[in-house]
Amino acid sequence: KNEVEQSPQNLTAQEGEFITINCSYSVGISALHWLQQHPGGGIVSLFMLSSGKKKHGRLIATINIQEKHSSLHITASHPRDSAVYICAVSPGTSGSRLTFGEGTQLTVNP
Amino acid sequence: DAGVIQSPRHEVTEMGQEVTLRCKPISGHNSLFWYRQTMMRGLELLIYFNNNVPIDDSGMPEDRFSAKMPNASFSTLKIQPSEPRDSAVYFCASSRQGADEKLFFGSGTQLSVL
């Protein structure tokens, strides 16, 4: 069992739909990252959180430390949101080594 | 700020040749990370520097790989000799302090070893 599991692996949506990507982890963490990787390959950090909820534009990230679970929500999805979304956790015992999920491939059709 | 700058963007080389990848982190960031991404293994940490000192190099595959950070604004990842299985995208990232801070990634170097 992977330490970080994402679901779904692939997601296809219609423009305007509300999207949720889930991340579950099995280790204690000090921080959780949501990353976005576009087809061109570049990686952008969307959120870094250790508790509660963060919002940036149409993106919302939540984390439940007790349940070891995080969700990334996209409201009013748009084709430009099509990308791979990667969850990564920073274990509590180390400040350097991120453990990555396998990513969720999101395709938003017009 | 220009962000994390990596060079080259693409590198094609022949097996056995030396390859050097370069990274300039964001000014003021104390931590620098080298990651490798492949289809089979996803993103993997190769090495982590803090204040120019290598802190965690347990991800470096073997002695053919070496990394240096001679100053706060420059790091290199060298592969000598290169092998086809080294073909991957290599990302450099920096943060203010460790992996508990937001990471800023470079655009990556696509390495192909023939």
Side-chain angles (χ1 to χ4, degrees):
Chain A
K1 181 171 164 60
N2 292 334
E3 289 184 342
V4 180
E5 293 199 338
Q6 289 185 234
S7 63
Q9 285 188 322
N10 294 282
L11 179 57
T12 300
Q14 288 299 122
E15 183 173 356
E17 287 185 357
F18 181 83
I19 289 165
T20 296
I21 300 171
N22 295 300
C23 175
S24 296
Y25 52 91
S26 58
V27 296
I29 68 168
S30 52
L32 182 143
H33 299 255
W34 281 103
L35 310 173
Q36 179 192 57
Q37 186 167 28
H38 272 283
I43 298 175
V44 174
S45 176
L46 298 175
F47 296 103
M48 192 281 294
L49 65 166
S50 55
S51 65
K53 179 169 80 172
K54 287 189 176 180
K55 183 177 189 292
H56 182 70
R58 296 180 294 106
L59 303 178
I60 303 167
T62 64
I63 188 168
N64 185 317
I65 297 294
Q66 287 73 31
E67 295 186 3
K68 294 186 168 60
H69 181 268
S70 176
S71 293
L72 176 68
H73 306 285
I74 305 175
T75 62
S77 59
H78 191 276
R80 65 175 175 266
D81 297 326
S82 298
V84 176
Y85 292 83
I86 302 169
C87 171
V89 300
S90 176
T93 56
S94 168
S96 67
R97 181 167 292 279
L98 289 180
T99 301
F100 294 90
E102 294 186 350
T104 295
Q105 172 69 64
L106 171 65
T107 303
V108 182
N109 294 318
Chain B
D1 199 312
V4 176
I5 300 173
Q6 287 188 248
S7 64
R9 286 296 306 272
H10 300 91
E11 177 80 30
V12 180
T13 190
E14 293 187 344
M15 183 173 65
Q17 296 297 306
E18 177 180 295
V19 175
T20 299
L21 310 181
R22 296 173 175 80
C23 176
K24 176 179 166 54
I26 291 173
S27 177
H29 282 191
N30 293 327
S31 297
L32 183 141
F33 307 81
W34 281 101
Y35 292 100
R36 178 172 66 177
Q37 186 178 39
T38 62
M39 288 293 292
M40 291 296 294
R41 300 171 69 90
L43 276 163
E44 303 174 284
L45 176 70
L46 297 176
I47 188 168
Y48 157 58
F49 291 89
N50 195 54
N51 293 322
N52 313 338
V53 176
I55 303 298
D56 182 352
D57 65 354
S58 57
M60 295 286 265
E62 50 199 88
D63 292 345
R64 297 184 298 106
F65 285 68
S66 62
K68 294 182 179 179
M69 192 165 185
N71 57 62
S73 59
F74 185 65
S75 177
T76 60
L77 177 67
K78 186 176 294 185
I79 308 172
Q80 166 65 21
S82 58
E83 297 183 2
R85 61 192 168 118
D86 302 330
S87 298
V89 181
Y90 292 81
F91 287 100
C92 175
S94 70
S95 74
R96 287 186 302 176
Q97 188 65 44
D100 291 350
E101 295 276 346
K102 184 174 180 177
L103 297 177
F104 293 81
F105 286 80
S107 51
T109 294
Q110 174 75 61
L111 173 64
S112 298
V113 182
L114 307 177

